[in-house]
Amino acid sequence: MQLESLKMFCDVVETGSFSRAAQLNHVTQSAVSQQIRALENRYEQKLLSRSARQVTPTPAGERLFRGCKEILARFAEVEQEIREQATEIQGATTVSTIYSVGLHELNAVQKQLLKTHPKVNMRLNYRRNDQVYDDVILGAAEIGIVAYPQPRAGVDIVPFRDDKLAVVCATAHAFASKAKVSLTALSGVPFIAFDREAPTRKALDRLFREKNIDINPVMEMDNVETIKRAVEMGLGVAILPIATAHAEIKAGSLVAKPFAEGPVSRPIGLLIRKGKYLDRASAAVLEAFKQAALIPHED
């Protein structure tokens, strides 16, 4: 039994037509019929029900169809792997990431990728947290980046790095002159928060409850860029990953202060669809993330 026979059988099932399957495989309709007849003889049972309007699989044919599709898909992956080994790694990989993983942080990955695989292009999609999971599960992205990664059916989690958090304020704010800011000092201070559904917001809310600190956000936003703009305008302070505010801190429009209680950080994880074969371009991007994670963060 040859793979060509299995492919013809699958094409007949998917198109519901012997003639269409013949066109797809560049053979005569008679040749397709002969291959199907050979399969039915092999298994000693009918695999297809033929009517005047359409061809449909019998229960045995449906089971064979599902198995054949798996075999053909895996064979296509193996062929792709073999072809790629003979060529330079190139291509594009889509990465879906939450907004609060800043470009500053991803620059290290881009630089690593440019150094090792200059013909691999990493395309970034900025998405909400749940959308990143969906993109990876549905195949819209090869790699996802989320904060506080949670186990979910259909995805594997690869630890990336921890983001150090800090109190961020405008240069004219009273906190700007302090060496450190305690969590208790945030009580009663106008606070610009992440959206309630954001994992970082949920983690900070848990921290505030543990410390019996009453925070009353004056604004809630789902985008770190808009939070920074509100803080620059003096509308309140925020707790942000320091990496997302490097440009503003360097420009002098924002000030970041560590916590008096000690370092506070959030874990960042990479998402890969469970069981997915990563082509060489995507594998190169994943390796660039792993190498970038070894580079110390600027604080």
Side-chain angles (χ1 to χ4, degrees):
M1 181 170 53
Q2 298 179 336
L3 287 174
E4 288 79 2
S5 299
L6 301 182
K7 182 179 182 304
M8 287 185 198
F9 172 74
C10 290
D11 288 341
V12 171
V13 173
E14 290 181 322
T15 63
S17 166
F18 277 77
S19 61
R20 182 62 182 139
Q23 292 173 357
L24 291 173
N25 289 276
H26 307 289
V27 297
T28 65
Q29 185 172 332
S30 175
V32 175
S33 297
Q34 289 175 18
Q35 294 291 346
I36 300 303
R37 192 157 48 247
L39 286 174
E40 290 181 327
N41 290 337
R42 177 186 179 90
Y43 296 113
E44 299 182 346
Q45 56 186 308
K46 198 172 183 179
L47 299 174
L48 298 172
S49 295
R50 301 158 177 83
S51 68
R53 303 182 64 180
Q54 192 174 20
V55 179
T56 57
T58 64
E62 180 63 36
R63 179 66 189 91
L64 181 62
F65 171 73
R66 291 198 301 270
C68 287
K69 289 297 288 184
E70 292 176 6
I71 292 170
L72 293 170
R74 180 57 188 141
F75 182 72
E77 289 180 356
V78 171
E79 280 196 313
Q80 180 67 16
E81 291 176 34
I82 293 172
R83 289 194 185 102
E84 287 180 343
Q85 288 173 1
T87 61
E88 183 180 3
I89 299 177
Q90 56 185 314
T93 295
T94 300
V95 177
S96 285
T97 176
I98 54 174
Y99 294 101
S100 57
V101 173
L103 285 175
H104 172 87
E105 200 160 11
L106 295 176
N107 274 344
V109 180
Q110 293 276 25
K111 289 178 181 177
Q112 178 67 28
L113 195 59
L114 185 62
K115 181 171 71 173
T116 56
H117 302 291
K119 292 187 177 181
V120 174
N121 179 28
M122 183 173 72
R123 298 171 178 166
L124 293 175
N125 287 336
Y126 280 91
R127 309 277 274 162
R128 291 174 63 91
N129 191 74
D130 283 346
Q131 292 173 326
V132 174
Y133 283 90
D134 290 342
D135 282 355
V136 172
I137 292 171
L138 297 176
E142 284 72 39
I143 299 172
I145 310 174
V146 295
Y148 301 96
Q150 298 296 317
R152 187 175 296 190
V155 297
D156 288 323
I157 298 170
V158 179
F160 178 41
R161 69 190 317 162
D162 286 343
D163 262 349
K164 189 173 290 186
L165 303 179
V167 177
V168 177
C169 64
T171 54
H173 195 277
F175 286 168
S177 60
K178 296 180 178 293
K180 297 181 179 180
V181 175
S182 69
L183 287 167
T184 55
L186 297 174
S187 183
V189 174
F191 191 75
I192 313 296
F194 282 104
D195 181 85
R196 291 177 185 271
E197 295 304 312
T200 302
R201 168 67 183 277
K202 292 179 179 179
L204 290 174
D205 284 348
R206 286 194 297 270
L207 178 62
F208 292 142
R209 285 195 298 270
E210 291 169 3
K211 302 289 185 180
N212 293 316
I213 299 171
D214 185 23
I215 294 294
N216 183 27
V218 294
M219 301 179 76
E220 297 175 339
M221 301 174 177
D222 64 358
N223 188 318
V224 69
E225 295 302 318
T226 54
I227 291 177
K228 289 189 293 184
R229 301 295 83 79
V231 174
E232 284 176 328
M233 293 168 63
L235 300 179
V237 303
I239 293 178
L240 297 176
I242 297 177
T244 66
H246 269 298
E248 289 81 4
I249 294 169
K250 187 175 181 179
S253 62
L254 289 178
V255 177
K257 297 296 177 179
F259 296 97
E261 293 83 355
V264 177
S265 62
R266 66 172 189 171
I268 301 295
L270 307 177
L271 305 180
I272 308 293
R273 192 173 75 187
K274 191 176 293 291
K276 179 179 175 59
Y277 161 71
L278 290 181
D279 59 30
R280 292 207 299 166
S282 298
V285 172
L286 182 60
E287 182 60 28
F289 271 99
K290 292 178 180 179
Q291 292 301 315
L294 302 176
I295 302 172
H297 246 161
E298 293 180 39
D299 295 330

